[in-house]
Amino acid sequence: MCEGVFSQCPLLLPQDLRGRVYDGFIRAQEKDFRLRVILPTDLQLQNARLECSWQLKNVLQGYLHLLKQRLQHSPNLSSFMMELKTILDTALKNTNSIEASPAPQYYSCLVSDIENLGWDKLLFVDDEFRTIKLKIKDSSGREHVIVVSLSAKYPYKAPDCCVDLPVAFSVSWTPQSNIQDIYNQVLSTLESLKSFWDTLDEIDAKTWVLEPEKPTRSATMRRIAIGNNVSITIDLDPRHPTMLPECYFLGAEHVVQPLKDKLNSKVHLWDPEVDVLQNFKAILETDFPSKSDFEKSDFTMDCGICYAYRLDSAIPDQVCDDPHCAQPFHQACLYEWLNGLPSSRQSFNIIYGECPYCTKPITLKLLNKPF
């Protein structure tokens, strides 16, 4: 299947050995569009998930029903990619024919709007004056970027607006609206998320965050080191950042279980008036290793199978339960290892086998991650 996909889209590359995840670009009319294809564990194309850039989503907006239909009836991914390229090519031709050149007043109107906003806020404008990037700061001094894609019918037709946010954002627009209105609406949204980013900034500053390595402003998740091969992953609600977040522990069971027990028994003590870190410290009765006292290398042991720390974007999140071993592994590496052992067995989403290092029993609970 990989060879067939490669022949159709040479820039769309498999991200795992089973061919479940493809990431890269699809090309049409000398334009590259970012695309990610994620197949389910049974590799059935009908249940595949497509993730794409906002540019590609805009081009295919009127063809979504056709895409879903072809996804259901294509015999394989290679065939679907061929049909997707055909649909994309048609969509681009129709877009180019419908989108007329801007009227002369378009440019004078846009320049006037930018001038009223302030040229110091303009980061970028393309050669056709159809895409502009604006810089904006929230009240805490965090810098953000607004990407505005303008129609030839601006200001009568609402522009597309893209901002790196953890919540959905859409512009409220009328024919009398302008760039300043977009700026003000984004600023209002940024201020509504101040507490959320304050919380994450404190976590980033006071703890060792293992994942994500370079978090974007839209990222709501943090995996925080608690100790050697022990961590907690939290996922904050952007609208209620001081409430108890979704969380789970990663590490050897003999270390993780006492932490789970403390959290379950003291969850009623969570205080939304207190910051997230302070709540976790009180409930778990532990301090998070600080950057002043520890190095990141203290918590970044390589995988015992591939001997690397990062595998694509993943880091080791499975640990042997034997306290004398405690060797970490990537979930994907451990899955491939156990899958190749004749003695391994699987029950639902749990695989039972032997640790590659100490041969003691080890279990792998599949978390529906792509590999």
Side-chain angles (χ1 to χ4, degrees), residues 128-197:
E128 299 178 348
F129 267 63
R130 302 296 286 276
T131 301
I132 63 174
K133 295 181 180 180
L134 305 172
K135 61 180 177 181
I136 182 172
K137 282 187 178 182
D138 59 27
S139 60
S140 296
R142 304 181 189 92
E143 294 188 350
H144 306 265
V145 175
I146 311 170
V147 180
V148 183
S149 300
L150 300 156
S151 162
K153 298 179 180 179
Y154 174 85
Y156 304 104
K157 182 179 178 182
D160 291 319
C161 185
C162 181
V163 192
D164 190 23
L165 298 172
V167 295
F169 175 79
S170 59
V171 176
S172 178
W173 191 263
T174 69
Q176 291 73 43
S177 299
N178 53 43
I179 299 296
Q180 181 72 59
D181 294 312
I182 295 177
Y183 191 90
N184 292 341
Q185 290 176 46
V186 171
L187 185 59
S188 176
T189 302
L190 296 180
E191 292 311 305
S192 72
L193 295 166
K194 181 180 183 300
S195 179
F196 167 73
W197 283 317

Side-chain angles (χ1 to χ4, degrees), residues 70-126:
R70 299 323 306 152
L71 202 59
Q72 293 296 315
H73 295 94
S74 296
N76 52 52
L77 183 57
S78 175
S79 176
F80 172 73
M81 293 309 301
M82 182 172 64
E83 297 203 49
L84 175 57
K85 287 180 67 178
T86 302
I87 294 171
L88 180 56
D89 189 62
T90 302
L92 285 170
K93 288 178 180 177
N94 291 339
T95 300
N96 293 337
S97 62
I98 293 172
E99 191 73 35
S101 297
Q105 57 266 32
Y106 165 91
Y107 299 102
S108 59
C109 178
L110 181 57
V111 169
S112 175
D113 285 351
I114 295 175
E115 194 165 38
N116 291 334
L117 177 66
W119 288 101
D120 59 313
K121 296 181 175 65
L122 182 66
L123 275 178
F124 166 84
V125 59
D126 69 350

Side-chain angles (χ1 to χ4, degrees), residues 302-338:
D302 294 341
C303 170
I305 296 174
C306 72
Y307 301 108
Y309 180 63
R310 288 201 175 273
L311 180 65
D312 295 329
S313 60
I315 66 175
D317 57 1
Q318 306 295 316
V319 181
C320 176
D321 287 337
D322 189 293
H324 300 293
C325 177
Q327 177 63 44
F329 307 98
H330 294 114
Q331 184 182 144
C333 294
L334 189 57
Y335 173 83
E336 295 292 341
W337 173 274
L338 295 177

Side-chain angles (χ1 to χ4, degrees), residues 239-252:
R239 295 302 188 191
H240 306 93
T242 60
M243 298 297 288
L244 175 65
E246 292 185 21
C247 59
Y248 60 91
F249 296 95
L250 292 168

